[in-house]
Amino acid sequence: MCRIISYNIHSGIGRDKVQDYRRIGQFLAESGADVVLLQEMDTRPSERAIERDIHDICAGNAFKLVPSPAIQEASGWYGNAILTRFNVRKQETFDVSQEGRQPRNVQIVELQTEKGPIRVVNTHKGLKKLERRSQFAMLHEHLANRLKSDPVPLVLAGDFNEWQFFTRAFRGLDNLLNQQKVGATFPSQFPLFSLDRVWTSDDIAVINCRKLKSKRTRVFSDHLPVQLDIRLPDKLAPRD
């Protein structure tokens, strides 16, 4: 089994107004996650060392961090990141920023598991409806081409910022991949909106997909984390 968690960590700032990557990193390490897709990782505050932020979110040596900055400043960066216990085979960042809006990207990382490769796709979409629609279309086209030219078991997850209850925004992605039922994840203390979502390719067997709601997760961020347990096909073999 492989356990994947997607989590918008709100720059490490909890509902108690405390900024603490260490408690989030410890929680993720204790969760048994093999891979964590982070949104809103922020190392920019000059009062903190970047190395300390990364050490804390990785729970020491529990994970390796693969950064995917959407914003880069002299003091640090802000954006997506992936924590992993697996070796990284390939990584790339696909820019989906829209003019006049906050920069956004799609992080794509191929990992080598015991059964073979898996591709994890991590993203955080924009706040405006038209901005998101364009980003969803770009993401769909990119993944459709990738699955056709280089088929590898794929998990897509992140904060999609789609507030509408009865949205048609995901029709393209739903035709390409299998969306998993998660439910409302925002705000963490009383979830009303399904902002955090997960899709998987057909060659992945989903054991369980659920939001993680507890005393800690209600406090650690304004989003609840989402946990996906999967089984990869036995036929997979390492690729060159």
Side-chain angles (χ1 to χ4, degrees):
M1 187 189 77
C2 176
R3 175 163 291 174
I4 299 173
I5 289 178
S6 178
Y7 201 2
N8 182 324
I9 57 173
H10 196 232
S11 299
I13 301 171
R15 289 181 50 248
D16 56 2
K17 310 302 182 184
V18 174
Q19 199 288 332
D20 191 347
Y21 283 140
R22 185 175 182 274
R23 65 183 180 182
I24 295 175
Q26 289 297 321
F27 161 73
L28 293 170
E30 292 167 7
S31 74
D34 299 296
V35 183
V36 183
L37 282 60
L38 299 175
Q39 304 89 46
E40 293 195 27
M41 178 70 188
D42 195 350
T43 69
R44 294 174 297 175
S46 57
E47 67 271 16
R48 303 196 312 267
I50 295 175
E51 295 78 12
R52 172 51 60 181
D53 280 351
I54 293 175
H55 180 271
D56 287 347
I57 199 68
C58 289
N61 295 319
F63 301 103
K64 301 181 286 287
L65 182 138
V66 185
S68 182
I71 299 173
Q72 186 80 56
E73 298 179 0
S75 58
W77 55 271
Y78 169 91
N80 299 319
I82 287 176
L83 307 179
T84 177
R85 300 182 193 268
F86 299 127
N87 290 328
V88 177
R89 295 179 56 83
K90 301 177 184 176
Q91 57 179 296
E92 65 177 287
T93 293
F94 173 44
D95 186 18
V96 293
S97 301
Q98 304 294 298
E99 185 175 357
R101 305 299 303 167
Q102 178 178 312
R104 305 280 182 175
N105 67 38
V106 178
Q107 181 182 20
I108 304 173
V109 175
E110 189 173 304
L111 303 168
Q112 185 64 50
T113 75
E114 294 86 350
K115 289 192 173 182
I118 182 174
R119 185 172 291 138
V120 290
V121 182
N122 179 26
T123 192
H124 184 195
K125 293 296 183 275
L127 297 175
K128 296 293 185 179
K129 181 177 179 179
L130 291 179
E131 176 188 12
R132 291 195 302 275
R133 295 302 182 271
S134 177
Q135 292 169 341
F136 294 158
M138 294 170 70
L139 175 61
H140 174 267
E141 181 180 14
H142 190 86
L143 293 183
N145 291 335
R146 180 60 62 85
L147 286 169
K148 184 176 181 180
S149 63
D150 186 19
V152 170
L154 184 147
V155 172
L156 164 65
D159 175 5
F160 286 79
N161 262 326
E162 184 64 32
W163 298 78
Q164 295 180 343
F165 288 105
F166 303 102
T167 181
R168 302 173 67 186
F170 301 117
R171 284 181 298 173
L173 288 173
D174 287 343
N175 288 331
L176 183 68
L177 300 165
N178 304 308
Q179 184 170 180
Q180 305 302 318
K181 291 183 178 180
V182 174
T185 57
F186 180 91
S188 57
Q189 72 273 26
F190 189 73
L192 295 173
F193 302 102
S194 300
L195 303 191
D196 304 276
R197 296 174 181 260
V198 178
W199 284 263
T200 57
S201 55
D202 290 338
D203 47 7
I204 287 178
V206 175
I207 300 170
N208 184 38
C209 186
R210 64 189 181 97
K211 58 187 175 184
L212 300 178
K213 190 173 183 179
S214 67
K215 290 182 179 179
R216 289 194 292 176
T217 59
R218 287 188 184 99
V219 174
F220 286 177
S221 173
D222 57 348
H223 287 247
L224 293 175
V226 175
Q227 178 178 297
L228 175 73
D229 293 334
I230 62 173
R231 185 176 295 113
L232 295 170
D234 291 329
K235 65 181 180 180
L236 285 177
R239 297 160 63 241
D240 293 329

PDB file of all heavy atoms in Angstrom, residues 13-31:
ATOM      1  N   ILE A  13       0.664  28.434   9.428  1.00  0.00           N
ATOM      2  CA  ILE A  13      -0.033  29.226  10.451  1.00  0.00           C
ATOM      3  C   ILE A  13      -1.362  28.560  10.781  1.00  0.00           C
ATOM      4  O   ILE A  13      -2.226  28.397   9.925  1.00  0.00           O
ATOM      5  CB  ILE A  13      -0.274  30.668   9.970  1.00  0.00           C
ATOM      6  CG1 ILE A  13       1.052  31.333   9.634  1.00  0.00           C
ATOM      7  CG2 ILE A  13      -1.020  31.475  11.041  1.00  0.00           C
ATOM      8  CD1 ILE A  13       0.905  32.679   8.955  1.00  0.00           C
ATOM      9  N   GLY A  14      -1.514  28.200  12.041  1.00  0.00           N
ATOM     10  CA  GLY A  14      -2.720  27.526  12.475  1.00  0.00           C
ATOM     11  C   GLY A  14      -3.830  28.491  12.837  1.00  0.00           C
ATOM     12  O   GLY A  14      -3.649  29.711  12.868  1.00  0.00           O
ATOM     13  N   ARG A  15      -4.989  27.941  13.142  1.00  0.00           N
ATOM     14  CA  ARG A  15      -6.118  28.760  13.586  1.00  0.00           C
ATOM     15  C   ARG A  15      -5.847  29.392  14.937  1.00  0.00           C
ATOM     16  O   ARG A  15      -6.529  30.358  15.312  1.00  0.00           O
ATOM     17  CB  ARG A  15      -7.391  27.922  13.637  1.00  0.00           C
ATOM     18  CG  ARG A  15      -7.919  27.548  12.253  1.00  0.00           C
ATOM     19  CD  ARG A  15      -9.205  26.745  12.344  1.00  0.00           C
ATOM     20  NE  ARG A  15     -10.182  27.368  13.212  1.00  0.00           N
ATOM     21  CZ  ARG A  15     -10.590  26.877  14.384  1.00  0.00           C
ATOM     22  NH1 ARG A  15     -10.095  25.723  14.835  1.00  0.00           N
ATOM     23  NH2 ARG A  15     -11.482  27.519  15.104  1.00  0.00           N
ATOM     24  N   ASP A  16      -4.850  28.887  15.645  1.00  0.00           N
ATOM     25  CA  ASP A  16      -4.440  29.497  16.913  1.00  0.00           C
ATOM     26  C   ASP A  16      -3.434  30.622  16.691  1.00  0.00           C
ATOM     27  O   ASP A  16      -2.852  31.129  17.650  1.00  0.00           O
ATOM     28  CB  ASP A  16      -3.846  28.439  17.844  1.00  0.00           C
ATOM     29  CG  ASP A  16      -2.685  27.679  17.210  1.00  0.00           C
ATOM     30  OD1 ASP A  16      -2.309  27.987  16.060  1.00  0.00           O
ATOM     31  OD2 ASP A  16      -2.167  26.751  17.853  1.00  0.00           O
ATOM     32  N   LYS A  17      -3.196  30.998  15.416  1.00  0.00           N
ATOM     33  CA  LYS A  17      -2.287  32.086  15.026  1.00  0.00           C
ATOM     34  C   LYS A  17      -0.813  31.740  15.240  1.00  0.00           C
ATOM     35  O   LYS A  17       0.056  32.610  15.118  1.00  0.00           O
ATOM     36  CB  LYS A  17      -2.604  33.398  15.769  1.00  0.00           C
ATOM     37  CG  LYS A  17      -4.062  33.813  15.715  1.00  0.00           C
ATOM     38  CD  LYS A  17      -4.557  33.993  14.299  1.00  0.00           C
ATOM     39  CE  LYS A  17      -6.007  34.460  14.285  1.00  0.00           C
ATOM     40  NZ  LYS A  17      -6.548  34.557  12.901  1.00  0.00           N
ATOM     41  N   VAL A  18      -0.527  30.483  15.541  1.00  0.00           N
ATOM     42  CA  VAL A  18       0.853  30.038  15.744  1.00  0.00           C
ATOM     43  C   VAL A  18       1.408  29.507  14.434  1.00  0.00           C
ATOM     44  O   VAL A  18       0.764  28.678  13.777  1.00  0.00           O
ATOM     45  CB  VAL A  18       0.919  28.942  16.836  1.00  0.00           C
ATOM     46  CG1 VAL A  18       2.331  28.375  16.946  1.00  0.00           C
ATOM     47  CG2 VAL A  18       0.452  29.512  18.171  1.00  0.00           C
ATOM     48  N   GLN A  19       2.609  29.983  14.055  1.00  0.00           N
ATOM     49  CA  GLN A  19       3.297  29.461  12.873  1.00  0.00           C
ATOM     50  C   GLN A  19       4.234  28.359  13.345  1.00  0.00           C
ATOM     51  O   GLN A  19       5.160  28.606  14.104  1.00  0.00           O
ATOM     52  CB  GLN A  19       4.090  30.578  12.171  1.00  0.00           C
ATOM     53  CG  GLN A  19       4.465  30.286  10.724  1.00  0.00           C
ATOM     54  CD  GLN A  19       5.556  29.218  10.575  1.00  0.00           C
ATOM     55  OE1 GLN A  19       6.386  29.053  11.451  1.00  0.00           O
ATOM     56  NE2 GLN A  19       5.537  28.510   9.471  1.00  0.00           N
ATOM     57  N   ASP A  20       4.002  27.127  12.876  1.00  0.00           N
ATOM     58  CA  ASP A  20       4.784  26.010  13.390  1.00  0.00           C
ATOM     59  C   ASP A  20       4.825  24.875  12.369  1.00  0.00           C
ATOM     60  O   ASP A  20       3.901  24.068  12.292  1.00  0.00           O
ATOM     61  CB  ASP A  20       4.169  25.512  14.711  1.00  0.00           C
ATOM     62  CG  ASP A  20       5.059  24.527  15.452  1.00  0.00           C
ATOM     63  OD1 ASP A  20       6.035  24.040  14.840  1.00  0.00           O
ATOM     64  OD2 ASP A  20       4.784  24.244  16.634  1.00  0.00           O
ATOM     65  N   TYR A  21       5.896  24.830  11.569  1.00  0.00           N
ATOM     66  CA  TYR A  21       6.060  23.719  10.633  1.00  0.00           C
ATOM     67  C   TYR A  21       6.413  22.426  11.355  1.00  0.00           C
ATOM     68  O   TYR A  21       6.162  21.343  10.831  1.00  0.00           O
ATOM     69  CB  TYR A  21       7.157  24.045   9.615  1.00  0.00           C
ATOM     70  CG  TYR A  21       6.738  24.993   8.520  1.00  0.00           C
ATOM     71  CD1 TYR A  21       7.601  25.988   8.080  1.00  0.00           C
ATOM     72  CD2 TYR A  21       5.497  24.890   7.905  1.00  0.00           C
ATOM     73  CE1 TYR A  21       7.235  26.860   7.064  1.00  0.00           C
ATOM     74  CE2 TYR A  21       5.123  25.755   6.894  1.00  0.00           C
ATOM     75  CZ  TYR A  21       5.995  26.734   6.475  1.00  0.00           C
ATOM     76  OH  TYR A  21       5.632  27.585   5.474  1.00  0.00           O
ATOM     77  N   ARG A  22       6.999  22.544  12.529  1.00  0.00           N
ATOM     78  CA  ARG A  22       7.450  21.345  13.236  1.00  0.00           C
ATOM     79  C   ARG A  22       6.266  20.451  13.610  1.00  0.00           C
ATOM     80  O   ARG A  22       6.311  19.236  13.406  1.00  0.00           O
ATOM     81  CB  ARG A  22       8.237  21.726  14.482  1.00  0.00           C
ATOM     82  CG  ARG A  22       8.854  20.531  15.215  1.00  0.00           C
ATOM     83  CD  ARG A  22       9.728  20.983  16.380  1.00  0.00           C
ATOM     84  NE  ARG A  22      10.345  19.850  17.045  1.00  0.00           N
ATOM     85  CZ  ARG A  22       9.765  19.152  18.013  1.00  0.00           C
ATOM     86  NH1 ARG A  22       8.548  19.495  18.443  1.00  0.00           N
ATOM     87  NH2 ARG A  22      10.393  18.129  18.571  1.00  0.00           N
ATOM     88  N   ARG A  23       5.188  21.037  14.128  1.00  0.00           N
ATOM     89  CA  ARG A  23       4.046  20.219  14.536  1.00  0.00           C
ATOM     90  C   ARG A  23       3.354  19.600  13.322  1.00  0.00           C
ATOM     91  O   ARG A  23       2.845  18.485  13.401  1.00  0.00           O
ATOM     92  CB  ARG A  23       3.074  21.031  15.381  1.00  0.00           C
ATOM     93  CG  ARG A  23       2.376  22.183  14.672  1.00  0.00           C
ATOM     94  CD  ARG A  23       1.488  22.944  15.634  1.00  0.00           C
ATOM     95  NE  ARG A  23       0.799  24.063  14.979  1.00  0.00           N
ATOM     96  CZ  ARG A  23      -0.013  24.901  15.618  1.00  0.00           C
ATOM     97  NH1 ARG A  23      -0.233  24.754  16.922  1.00  0.00           N
ATOM     98  NH2 ARG A  23      -0.604  25.893  14.966  1.00  0.00           N
ATOM     99  N   ILE A  24       3.346  20.321  12.197  1.00  0.00           N
ATOM    100  CA  ILE A  24       2.757  19.755  10.983  1.00  0.00           C
ATOM    101  C   ILE A  24       3.622  18.607  10.475  1.00  0.00           C
ATOM    102  O   ILE A  24       3.116  17.550  10.105  1.00  0.00           O
ATOM    103  CB  ILE A  24       2.598  20.840   9.905  1.00  0.00           C
ATOM    104  CG1 ILE A  24       1.596  21.901  10.368  1.00  0.00           C
ATOM    105  CG2 ILE A  24       2.145  20.220   8.583  1.00  0.00           C
ATOM    106  CD1 ILE A  24       1.463  23.072   9.421  1.00  0.00           C
ATOM    107  N   GLY A  25       4.949  18.813  10.462  1.00  0.00           N
ATOM    108  CA  GLY A  25       5.860  17.760  10.013  1.00  0.00           C
ATOM    109  C   GLY A  25       5.752  16.512  10.870  1.00  0.00           C
ATOM    110  O   GLY A  25       5.738  15.381  10.344  1.00  0.00           O
ATOM    111  N   GLN A  26       5.660  16.683  12.175  1.00  0.00           N
ATOM    112  CA  GLN A  26       5.523  15.534  13.072  1.00  0.00           C
ATOM    113  C   GLN A  26       4.204  14.800  12.831  1.00  0.00           C
ATOM    114  O   GLN A  26       4.154  13.568  12.815  1.00  0.00           O
ATOM    115  CB  GLN A  26       5.610  15.994  14.530  1.00  0.00           C
ATOM    116  CG  GLN A  26       6.992  16.423  14.966  1.00  0.00           C
ATOM    117  CD  GLN A  26       7.997  15.289  14.903  1.00  0.00           C
ATOM    118  OE1 GLN A  26       7.693  14.151  15.231  1.00  0.00           O
ATOM    119  NE2 GLN A  26       9.209  15.587  14.480  1.00  0.00           N
ATOM    120  N   PHE A  27       3.143  15.556  12.638  1.00  0.00           N
ATOM    121  CA  PHE A  27       1.848  14.946  12.335  1.00  0.00           C
ATOM    122  C   PHE A  27       1.912  14.127  11.048  1.00  0.00           C
ATOM    123  O   PHE A  27       1.415  12.994  10.989  1.00  0.00           O
ATOM    124  CB  PHE A  27       0.780  16.043  12.213  1.00  0.00           C
ATOM    125  CG  PHE A  27      -0.454  15.611  11.473  1.00  0.00           C
ATOM    126  CD1 PHE A  27      -1.365  14.751  12.067  1.00  0.00           C
ATOM    127  CD2 PHE A  27      -0.689  16.046  10.182  1.00  0.00           C
ATOM    128  CE1 PHE A  27      -2.503  14.342  11.377  1.00  0.00           C
ATOM    129  CE2 PHE A  27      -1.816  15.648   9.478  1.00  0.00           C
ATOM    130  CZ  PHE A  27      -2.729  14.792  10.087  1.00  0.00           C
ATOM    131  N   LEU A  28       2.539  14.666  10.008  1.00  0.00           N
ATOM    132  CA  LEU A  28       2.628  13.960   8.731  1.00  0.00           C
ATOM    133  C   LEU A  28       3.487  12.704   8.847  1.00  0.00           C
ATOM    134  O   LEU A  28       3.158  11.660   8.281  1.00  0.00           O
ATOM    135  CB  LEU A  28       3.189  14.901   7.665  1.00  0.00           C
ATOM    136  CG  LEU A  28       2.281  16.072   7.287  1.00  0.00           C
ATOM    137  CD1 LEU A  28       3.019  17.072   6.415  1.00  0.00           C
ATOM    138  CD2 LEU A  28       1.012  15.571   6.595  1.00  0.00           C
ATOM    139  N   ALA A  29       4.582  12.797   9.603  1.00  0.00           N
ATOM    140  CA  ALA A  29       5.435  11.623   9.793  1.00  0.00           C
ATOM    141  C   ALA A  29       4.687  10.534  10.554  1.00  0.00           C
ATOM    142  O   ALA A  29       4.780   9.347  10.226  1.00  0.00           O
ATOM    143  CB  ALA A  29       6.712  12.021  10.529  1.00  0.00           C
ATOM    144  N   GLU A  30       3.922  10.920  11.574  1.00  0.00           N
ATOM    145  CA  GLU A  30       3.168   9.959  12.374  1.00  0.00           C
ATOM    146  C   GLU A  30       1.996   9.357  11.604  1.00  0.00           C
ATOM    147  O   GLU A  30       1.515   8.274  11.946  1.00  0.00           O
ATOM    148  CB  GLU A  30       2.650  10.649  13.641  1.00  0.00           C
ATOM    149  CG  GLU A  30       3.739  11.052  14.619  1.00  0.00           C
ATOM    150  CD  GLU A  30       3.228  12.008  15.689  1.00  0.00           C
ATOM    151  OE1 GLU A  30       1.993  12.232  15.738  1.00  0.00           O
ATOM    152  OE2 GLU A  30       4.049  12.538  16.458  1.00  0.00           O
ATOM    153  N   SER A  31       1.538  10.043  10.570  1.00  0.00           N
ATOM    154  CA  SER A  31       0.385   9.572   9.802  1.00  0.00           C
ATOM    155  C   SER A  31       0.701   8.351   8.950  1.00  0.00           C
ATOM    156  O   SER A  31      -0.206   7.690   8.441  1.00  0.00           O
ATOM    157  CB  SER A  31      -0.116  10.690   8.885  1.00  0.00           C
ATOM    158  OG  SER A  31       0.765  10.873   7.789  1.00  0.00           O
TER     159      SER A  31
END
